[in-house]
Amino acid sequence: MPKQTSAARRTSIAGLLTATSLALALSGCANYDVTAPADARADAPAAAVQAKDAQLAAAKSAKNEDGKNGDGKKGEAKGSQGGGQATAPGGAGDVDCRKAKCVALTFDAGPSENTPRLLDILKKEKVHATFFMLGENHVDKRPAEVKRIDAEGHELANHTWSHQILTDIEPQEAKRELSRLQDAVRKITGKTPRLMRPPQGRTDEEVSKISKDLGLAQVLWSVTAKDYQTNDSALITKRVLEQTERDGIILLHDIYKGTVPAVPGILKELKKRGYTVVTVSQLLSPATAEPGMVYRP
């Protein structure tokens, strides 16, 4: 059973509206659970906290040992681990967002012809991201990119099969939109996403129930460059940097021409400002994303 968040941090709402275009539909008396990444970390079970601390201690010890042996090379982050589930690199054990100034980097609606260049940039900058992928004309047409996303240690996530608005369709159709993408990614990588982003950020009680049944947590965002409106890379960079705060989640799209060229400048400035750029699961750790829960900074 998923753990219950504390009353102070658990929000039961009829609908959610934000100024950053998180257009969650109003739904009468519908109720679903929302929590922020920092609150999820604070509510993590004691066993998970102990395991995280042990991971960090082991990593520090290994790094010190490598230093003594004159081996300055850091191992490449492995792909998703454990039980066929798509998780963050290294089980999220390589960074501690309880102490570090973290922000999660996410990309929606790919993979596309721009994704290989994006992956080259992320590899060069030693950054991992979460990819909320579409099925139709993306995952089904570009399995090599899906394999590479996984192989290079990024997080595989679900953005539905064909970008239908889940709150506007019948429950069975909504379930197919999510499960079909799950099946496709599993067939390509052997791993099943555990995170999903509802198109346009629109969710409700029924979508949350379906997500829970499929083992999917819902992830919204706090930063959007509205890169679907412009190919101006400088403007995309400016918008991201103006909105980014600690424990935020950045939403970009690797399907638009102006987005990928903006990424090097965004990463450079974020690092200059002291940010550690992480995946969503790394941002939540030592908590684990709960199926059905909505995570929103």
Side-chain angles (χ1 to χ4, degrees), residues 2-24:
K3 75 176 184 63
Q4 298 296 312
T5 56
S6 66
R9 297 187 175 100
R10 186 173 179 133
T11 308
S12 182
I13 60 176
L16 179 62
L17 300 173
T18 78
T20 57
S21 78
L22 301 184
L24 297 178

Side-chain angles (χ1 to χ4, degrees), residues 8-85:
R9 297 187 175 100
R10 186 173 179 133
T11 308
S12 182
I13 60 176
L16 179 62
L17 300 173
T18 78
T20 57
S21 78
L22 301 184
L24 297 178
L26 290 173
S27 182
C29 61
N31 293 302
Y32 49 96
D33 295 324
V34 183
T35 192
D39 293 337
R41 292 197 304 266
D43 283 341
V49 173
Q50 291 171 1
K52 175 76 173 181
D53 291 341
Q55 270 186 318
L56 291 167
K60 183 177 180 180
S61 177
K63 184 177 180 180
N64 291 339
E65 191 64 29
D66 286 344
K68 291 178 182 178
N69 294 333
D71 182 5
K73 295 181 180 180
K74 294 183 180 180
E76 290 293 324
K78 300 299 181 183
S80 307
Q81 296 181 351
Q85 296 293 320

